[in-house]
Amino acid sequence: MRKIALFGLLMVGVVANAQTLSYTTTVGGMVDDNFQEVTYIDDPNLQTLAINDPTGSALAQAQIAPGVARVSSSYSSLDSANPAFSLMSDALTYWTDTVTIDDPLLNGTLGHFTANLLVSGTASYGLSGGYASGDPFSDAYIYGFWNSWIGTSTDNGDSFLVGGWFGEWTSDPDGNVFYSGDDLSQPLTEVTLDFIYGQPFLLRMNMEAYTDASNFNVLAGTASGTLDFSHTAYWNGISGFFDASGNPTNPNFSSGSGMDWRNSAVPEPSVLLALGTGLLFMRKRRARR
């Protein structure tokens, strides 16, 4: 397990209300030149985007609830004689809440808290023909990643200081697919995030699954890929609060939504639908960095 290079200042927009828990979900995909993307604000329903073209298909699904994010992305190009030159699927979702951590003896000073997530997911890839042989940088390749992070913002969402986790799948010239990154299906390594005692800040939990395939020279072959995190990223609670010197504290806690994020999320099975299997055009470059 490891912490990834998401630490630092991540500039992202926010749709947040000091009195409510807000949701943002984006699903997108691409088959060749057919690119589509839809963003939903404050809609907790299962969101699906599907593209079906003669050369292939892409499917992205995502759903969000308090403390829980579920995403799934997949694509396929199964006619070897009519392969797609580009496939992509991306599912991204996050919730944002306003939190205040209060201690009369520490208000106005820097504090820290430690937290983590429990992320479960699987990946499956199928390659043949041009996808399974040759130089993956000049002929054909497949790629996928997941990332999840927790972030805090003290400037109303103009920027977030985040700590998170990451994993990726890449193909080689022999048609093998390799995974590297944080271990799944267990509590992830804790991250430490900053706040100011007594001052409200935004707390966010983000989850994304992205996968793509490229066939630069339109070589005969087939490709399919699925990242299934439909069971998936659960808020695992806050394990401790600390002052600027690292001493443990026992502050008061409140949130705009009324959620007590000190506790783990334990959703009822009916809260979220199970997702099926397969967009948003960016993020591969960001993830590889």
Side-chain angles (χ1 to χ4, degrees):
M1 295 184 292
R2 63 188 176 89
K3 297 178 183 178
I4 66 167
L6 278 173
F7 299 107
L9 213 55
L10 177 66
M11 304 302 294
V12 288
V14 62
V15 179
N17 184 306
Q19 303 303 316
T20 62
L21 183 67
S22 71
Y23 303 134
T24 301
T25 297
T26 298
V27 285
M30 183 171 65
V31 177
D32 293 336
D33 294 325
N34 184 357
F35 168 72
Q36 300 178 33
E37 176 185 302
V38 183
T39 296
Y40 300 86
I41 304 298
D42 292 333
D43 187 343
N45 294 310
L46 174 67
Q47 309 301 343
T48 299
L49 188 145
I51 300 175
N52 293 287
D53 280 2
T55 59
S57 64
L59 176 67
Q61 294 185 292
Q63 191 172 17
I64 189 74
V68 186
R70 299 186 176 187
V71 291
S72 180
S73 61
S74 64
Y75 63 76
S76 65
S77 179
L78 302 179
D79 184 351
S80 179
N82 188 30
F85 65 79
S86 183
L87 297 160
M88 182 183 57
S89 176
D90 194 16
L92 166 70
T93 192
Y94 57 83
W95 55 258
T96 309
D97 199 1
T98 302
V99 168
T100 303
I101 299 170
D102 176 79
D103 186 323
L105 298 178
L106 295 171
N107 285 349
T109 67
L110 179 68
H112 315 282
F113 70 85
T114 53
N116 71 347
L117 303 179
L118 173 61
V119 177
S120 299
T122 60
S124 61
Y125 285 100
L127 311 174
S128 73
Y131 283 97
S133 62
D135 185 348
F137 298 104
S138 61
D139 296 326
Y141 73 89
I142 66 94
Y143 175 77
F145 77 82
W146 70 274
N147 73 60
S148 192
W149 51 263
I150 302 168
T152 58
S153 174
T154 58
D155 55 11
N156 201 35
D158 288 339
S159 62
F160 276 81
L161 179 68
V162 306
W165 308 269
F166 173 81
E168 65 179 357
W169 294 265
T170 56
S171 61
D172 70 4
D174 298 319
N176 301 306
V177 180
F178 298 94
Y179 175 76
S180 61
D182 290 292
D183 295 331
L184 295 167
S185 304
Q186 63 182 343
L188 297 167
T189 304
E190 285 190 333
V191 296
T192 300
L193 295 167
D194 297 345
F195 65 92
I196 302 297
Y197 279 97
Q199 295 184 11
F201 62 90
L202 297 182
L203 176 66
R204 175 174 291 182
M205 172 183 157
N206 180 93
M207 180 70 193
E208 180 179 14
Y210 170 100
T211 189
D212 71 14
S214 291
N215 190 342
F216 304 109
N217 299 311
V218 197
L219 303 173
T222 63
S224 62
T226 297
L227 302 184
D228 185 0
F229 288 83
S230 58
H231 297 291
T232 217
Y234 292 90
W235 178 263
N236 206 38
I238 294 174
S239 60
F241 299 93
F242 306 89
D243 63 19
S245 299
N247 301 307
T249 65
N250 187 28
N252 300 311
F253 184 95
S254 63
S255 68
S257 68
M259 297 291 296
D260 189 342
W261 300 111
R262 292 172 295 185
N263 302 322
S264 301
V266 185
E268 295 296 326
S270 60
V271 170
L272 294 177
L273 301 175
L275 304 187
T277 58
L279 298 197
L280 213 151
F281 183 60
M282 45 187 256
R283 292 189 182 72
K284 181 176 70 175
R285 181 178 302 172
R286 184 193 74 194
R288 286 180 170 173
R289 286 201 299 264

